[in-house]
Amino acid sequence: LHPYMWTWKPHYYEADYAFYNFPYAFGAMLAMGLYSMYLKEGEAFLPKYNKFLHATTVMSVEGTAAVVGIDLTSKDFWRESLKSFADMIDEFVELA
């Protein structure tokens, strides 16, 4: 594996491919939102998460998110997810 693989994948950064990265960004933000929920709820979140994982095989993305109480149209959910990234950036800056 090349540790700098991301530096020579120009299609990641091409403006003409505006929606190329959408599934990755959506997945990353959804995952961070789920992780935030786990941090708040602790072990009690795990049964819901297991239902969520099963739902990914049989439901729409909206239905799957609803299994754990996420409304994908809620700006608050996405803001909380983005806050996780901001927290990581702040931690990096502090450590650097």
Side-chain angles (χ1 to χ4, degrees):
L1 296 175
H2 192 289
Y4 303 106
M5 181 77 69
W6 62 271
T7 63
W8 54 285
K9 296 288 185 178
H11 59 284
Y12 292 165
Y13 313 105
E14 288 284 336
D16 293 335
Y17 298 128
F19 296 103
Y20 178 84
N21 289 315
F22 175 79
Y24 302 109
F26 178 87
M29 290 178 60
L30 180 60
M32 291 306 290
L34 288 165
Y35 184 61
S36 293
M37 293 173 75
Y38 167 73
L39 291 177
K40 287 179 184 172
E41 298 178 32
E43 296 288 319
F45 181 71
L46 298 180
K48 287 194 282 187
Y49 184 66
N50 285 332
K51 289 179 184 175
F52 171 86
L53 292 176
H54 173 72
T56 64
T57 66
V58 295
M59 297 178 78
S60 68
V61 66
E62 295 87 356
T64 300
V67 166
V68 291
I70 296 171
D71 174 4
L72 294 178
T73 64
S74 167
K75 290 181 182 179
D76 290 337
F77 171 76
W78 297 111
R79 285 185 182 120
E80 185 69 23
S81 181
L82 284 171
K83 184 180 177 310
S84 299
F85 289 102
D87 292 345
M88 287 190 285
I89 291 167
D90 291 343
E91 181 180 6
F92 172 79
V93 170
E94 187 178 312
L95 293 172

